[in-house]
Each structure stands twice: as C-alpha cells, then as structure tokens.
Amino acid sequence: MSLPNAFDALMAYERETQALARISARLSWDQETVMARGSAGQRAEERGAMESVLHSRRTNPQIAEWLEQADPPDADGAAQLRLIRRSYERSVKVPADLAAALARLTSRSQGIWAAARAEDDVAAFLPTLAEVVKLKREEAAALAGDGDLYDALVDDFEPNGKAAEFAAMFDEMRPGLVALRERALNAPQVTPLSATFDADTQMALGRELAETFGYDLSRGRIDRAVHPFSSGSGEDVRITTRTAEDDPFNCLYSTIHEVGHACYEQGIDPKFLLTPAGQGVSMGVHESQSRIYENQLGRSRAFCGYLYGRMRDLFGDFGVRDEDAFYALVNRVHRGYIRTEADEVQYNLHIMLRFDLERALFANDLQVDDLEAAWNDRFRADFGYDVNRPSNGVLQDVHWSVGLFGYFPTYSLGNVYAGCLHEALRKDLPDLDDQLAKGDLSAATGWLHERVQCHGGRHEPKDVITLACGSAPGATPLMSYLETKFGALSDS
C-alpha cells in the first residue's frame, strides 16, 4: 500500500533507520557488559558493517526529496523535519568509508583502552588513540567546512554549541569554584568510610534506588561495567554501574546518575518512539537530568537522611554516627583524581581540564604523544598535586577511546542547566524536603518529566530549559547553590 504523502513516507523511513540505530547501540552495550574480550575483533567488523548501513540510509538522496516535498501536519511534525534535516545535512558531509572506519576503529580502541587502563600502560594505548584523533580530525574537517574543527564535533552532542561560549562560561565559574574548593579543603576534614560493604548488597540497594527515582525495570536493566553508562531509548533503556567494597557511594550515586539519563529516555512521549524526536535533545539537557537526580536530589540533606536509614538497614552499623555526619560524608570535598568520583565543587574543574586539552588537540597545538605530560602538568596546576598513575590520569575516561571528542563540555553545561532546573523546582515544590526525607521522589521526578523529559527532541536545547524554568539558562543558580551548600558544610 502506498503512503499518502512525502511526510508519511519520510517518517516511515526514519523509523526503520532509528530501529537499526538502536540495534547498533545494543552491540555497543553488549561489548561493554557481557561480551568476551576475545570477540572484540569480530565485533569491530560487525559495528563497522552496521555503520555502513546506517550511513547509507542517512545519506539517501531520497531524504532530500522528501524534505523538499514534506508538509508537516503540526508543530511536532515540523520538529521532526528540523531534526531529520539537521541529521541529513551533517551525514552527507562525512564520507561513507570514513564513517565505517571510525566505527571499526573505536570498537577496537575501546578494548585496547580498557586493557591499558588495567595495566597503567599509556604507551599501549597512545598509538590507537592517535589513529582515533586522526580520523576524528578528518570527520571534523568534513563537517566544519571553513569553520572551527572543535565546534563541528561539539555540535554532534550539543546542537549549535560553541567552544567560545563554553570557554566564557568556564571563565565565569572558575574563580568561584577554586575559592570554594580552598575554603572546603581548609575546613576540618570529614573522615572517609573504613567499613566493607558487600558488592551484591550494593547492587540490590542500587536497584531499589533506581526504582525509587522512577526507573522502570520492566523496560530496562542494570548491569556492571568498567565505566557506568546509560544506553537506549523508548521501551529498552539500560544502565550500568560499578561496585567497590570500600566505597558504596560509587555504586549508589553512579546508579542514581545513570537513572537520571534513563528516566529522560523512558519519559519521552510514546508518540515519538523510534523517531528523531524520540530521544534526548542534547547531551547538555541529558546531563541536567542525571546531575539533578544525583546531586540536588540524591545528595540533599533530606534524602541523605533517608538513605542513611536504608544503608543501616542493609549494612548494619558502618561507623557513621548520625544523619548529619552521613550528609557531610556524602558531600565531602576531598583530594582525588577521578572525575566520576569528584565532589560537586571540583567536578567542573575536571571538565575544564579535558576541554582545554581537546581544543588543543584539534587546533594542532598538542599532539597525542604529549597528551599524558600535558594532562599531568595541567592537573598539577589545577589541583595542586601530582597524578599518581595513568589510570587516575589520562587513561581514566572511556570517551576518547570511542571518539567522543566535544562531549566533555556538555557535562558542565548539564550542571548549569541542573542548577536552573533545581531553582525552579524548589519554587514550585516548597515541601520538597519533606518528601525527600521519606524517600518519595515522585513529585520531583514528575515535575522533571512534565517540564523536560516528555518533550524529547521537540524543542531546541536551550529552549527546553527556558520553557521549564521561565527564564534563559545561566551559571548563577548553580554557583549560588554550590556556595550555599558547601559554604554551610565548610562552616559546620
């Protein structure tokens, strides 16, 4: 049966493309969770083949014809066309053989990075990373035309995002963050945990918290991985976490963080399923959900009281005297190396480091062979002490191994967006702390679902935050939140 018009034909074609893209993403999820290490070579070929199919579909000249002829039935249809046009215009700029080569290389590179990280062997990874950077430079050049190479990569994660805007935002935030860090580190330090926490019990509590924050396990699952992540959209959204027997917060807050991502994808209006609008609109908005779940809600004084009780129920007395001490422990500002384990005050400083190194790489001001030294020098300058081993330094993140250059600045943008959303949420829910103290997240997550998550890609990223909050986003709410929270903790 023939379809009645160009819009319907285009949307039917896009649904098939989206379905294939979800299958391709599942190959990546499988590789990071349960695939045997010896299967990496074949998986690289499989992912390369899938990318070839997807690139061919995304660059099909018929799409241009449909876009020319399509008459959207409503505002949602117009949003779909905007997203399809943007994807098509980007895709046709990248040669098919380059797209496939990147897919194969980054699949192989991920395993090489994981092995190098486990052995603290930078030299084992740098040659492969140099290949990744070379191909990403080629991709950026194809996308950028006469524009900035790094901006072309950022645009893949934050549409219309510009490195100059991120740099200005970081310059605005850095002095306050450094001053707040120094104040916190000069205050009496909180003693870290010294107990042992069973890994399986951590996972059980993590699953409980995931459901408390609204994650639908009938349409998802939780597994363990080296680097926690969220994958999928619509009716199949999966997350991973990790455990350390001496640090249950790593598991619990990584889980809550990834649940924020997952709830965004699960919460998108079902009518957008397997369409361009049926996924998070940008990584900045995505990160706003994971960070507000993890920090403003999950690390709040009220919710910490609830979590303290649940941990005592499951682990017994673990050496923390009361809820106030537990809250201070969860939010302690401390020296450390790992971005994902950083406190809220120092987290953005980790992002600034990576952002500057990435820009230098793509401006040809820094070569891959010099990356470890540049990282270590910058870390010493920013944090005041030396990196002790590569797995705590240049090898700690999976992102570069899989070609995700331009991704890191969206983490800080997400923090800024989360600050704006939290300020608006508190105004609308004056009794929020009473609910959080009972472990009731339904009103908070319901607000975020209604204001942000359900829209998927319907609006431009900044417009999503503006519509949710009633004003344009900026860094002031986040900085005010951090100064109020950590100023009080430093003085207590």
Side-chain angles (χ1 to χ4, degrees):
M1 183 177 69
S2 62
L3 292 160
N5 58 50
F7 179 82
D8 290 344
L10 177 57
M11 291 307 299
Y13 182 88
E14 282 294 319
R15 287 186 179 93
E16 286 190 355
T17 302
Q18 291 289 326
L20 289 169
R22 300 283 75 76
I23 294 169
S24 181
R26 214 105 64 234
L27 290 176
S28 180
W29 169 88
D30 175 85
Q31 181 172 345
E32 293 197 51
T33 53
V34 297
M35 188 190 81
R37 182 175 296 180
S39 304
Q42 178 175 314
R43 179 54 49 86
E45 292 302 315
E46 292 168 354
R47 290 183 62 189
M50 283 296 298
E51 184 56 37
S52 292
V53 171
L54 285 166
H55 189 270
S56 177
R57 290 187 64 87
R58 290 167 177 156
T59 58
N60 185 346
Q62 180 67 60
I63 294 175
E65 295 180 24
W66 280 326
L67 286 169
E68 180 68 25
Q69 300 166 8
D71 184 18
D74 51 26
D76 289 345
Q80 298 281 16
L81 292 183
R82 169 175 55 82
L83 294 167
I84 294 169
R85 181 174 289 106
R86 179 179 182 276
S87 174
Y88 177 74
E89 290 175 351
R90 282 182 66 83
S91 296
V92 295
K93 294 177 181 178
V94 180
D97 57 348
L98 175 58
L102 268 168
R104 285 193 295 269
L105 175 59
T106 53
S107 180
R108 180 169 57 86
S109 173
Q110 183 177 341
I112 295 170
W113 161 79
R117 180 179 182 273
E119 298 296 327
D120 278 310
D121 187 355
V122 177
F125 176 57
L126 288 186
T128 304
L129 179 60
E131 293 181 52
V132 174
V133 171
K134 177 179 179 294
L135 292 187
K136 291 300 292 186
R137 280 178 174 153
E138 291 180 22
E139 180 188 47
L143 291 167
D146 295 331
D148 182 81
L149 296 188
Y150 191 66
D151 281 351
L153 297 178
V154 167
D155 194 67
D156 205 34
F157 307 105
E158 196 65 28
N160 302 314
K162 301 296 182 186
E165 294 179 6
F166 288 129
M169 179 179 74
F170 292 156
D171 288 345
E172 177 186 352
M173 296 167 63
R174 186 181 284 108
L177 292 172
V178 171
L180 193 55
R181 178 185 67 188
E182 295 308 305
R183 180 178 175 187
L185 291 176
N186 287 327
Q189 294 300 289
V190 176
T191 303
L193 287 170
S194 59
T196 299
F197 299 82
D198 176 71
D200 290 338
T201 306
Q202 290 183 47
M203 289 297 293
L205 179 55
R207 288 187 176 88
E208 177 187 314
L209 291 174
E211 293 188 288
T212 296
F213 277 80
Y215 183 46
D216 181 0
L217 280 165
S218 73
R219 298 185 292 149
R221 55 181 292 133
I222 304 175
D223 295 273
R224 300 188 206 199
V226 173
H227 192 105
F229 67 96
S230 176
S231 175
S233 64
E235 296 175 355
D236 189 348
V237 184
R238 309 178 186 195
I239 69 171
T240 67
T241 189
R242 59 186 172 198
T243 59
E245 292 196 342
D246 62 345
D247 182 12
F249 299 142
N250 196 321
C251 172
L252 301 181
Y253 282 100
S254 290
T255 300
I256 294 171
H257 178 98
E258 299 306 333
V259 163
H261 285 303
C263 284
Y264 185 5
E265 293 293 338
Q266 288 186 334
I268 294 171
D269 193 320
K271 69 183 178 182
F272 294 142
L273 182 67
L274 292 179
T275 73
Q279 53 199 317
V281 69
S282 77
M283 289 315 305
V285 177
H286 236 301
E287 196 66 15
S288 77
Q289 301 307 283
S290 61
R291 295 297 280 180
I292 196 172
Y293 274 50
E294 176 190 358
N295 293 324
Q296 283 91 342
L297 299 176
R299 296 184 193 271
S300 65
R301 172 62 182 84
F303 186 76
C304 280
Y306 169 80
L307 181 57
Y308 175 68
R310 290 300 298 130
M311 288 187 66
R312 285 182 62 89
D313 291 342
L314 294 172
F315 297 109
D317 184 355
F318 51 90
V320 179
R321 67 179 185 275
D322 57 28
E323 294 179 4
D324 287 335
F326 183 82
Y327 171 62
L329 178 63
V330 165
N331 291 285
R332 75 185 186 97
V333 178
H334 58 283
R335 288 163 56 111
Y337 305 99
I338 304 297
R339 171 186 62 86
T340 57
E341 298 170 9
D343 52 79
E344 290 181 79
V345 173
Q346 298 183 88
Y347 184 91
N348 290 302
L349 297 174
H350 285 269
I351 299 303
M352 294 173 192
L353 179 155
R354 289 155 174 78
F355 170 73
D356 288 342
L357 293 180
E358 287 190 349
R359 289 186 80 189
L361 275 173
F362 283 86
N364 259 328
D365 294 332
L366 174 65
Q367 301 306 310
V368 170
D369 285 345
D370 301 320
L371 185 57
E372 181 183 20
W375 178 295
N376 292 345
D377 290 346
R378 175 63 184 270
F379 189 90
R380 186 184 307 110
D382 283 2
F383 293 89
Y385 46 94
D386 291 328
V387 173
N388 61 349
R389 59 180 185 269
S391 57
N392 281 337
V394 72
L395 291 180
Q396 69 177 265
D397 292 302
V398 70
H399 299 63
W400 291 344
S401 73
V402 293
L404 296 180
F405 293 95
Y407 190 120
F408 277 118
T410 68
Y411 283 126
S412 284
L413 182 62
N415 283 333
V416 167
Y417 286 168
C420 298
L421 292 168
H422 179 243
E423 183 179 73
L425 172 66
R426 287 277 177 185
K427 290 177 181 176
D428 286 355
L429 300 178
D431 61 342
L432 176 61
D433 282 336
D434 292 337
Q435 298 172 42
L436 296 178
K438 300 172 186 175
D440 181 1
L441 275 294
S442 58
T445 57
W447 188 95
L448 290 166
H449 173 264
E450 178 184 343
R451 298 296 186 93
V452 177
Q453 296 166 5
C454 70
H455 300 299
R458 179 188 282 137
H459 307 298
E460 294 284 4
K462 287 182 180 179
D463 293 342
V464 172
I465 305 303
T466 300
L467 290 168
C469 300
S471 59
T476 299
L478 173 66
M479 295 304 298
S480 296
Y481 156 78
L482 291 173
E483 288 161 4
T484 299
K485 177 178 182 176
F486 288 94
L489 282 165
S490 297
D491 294 340
S492 60

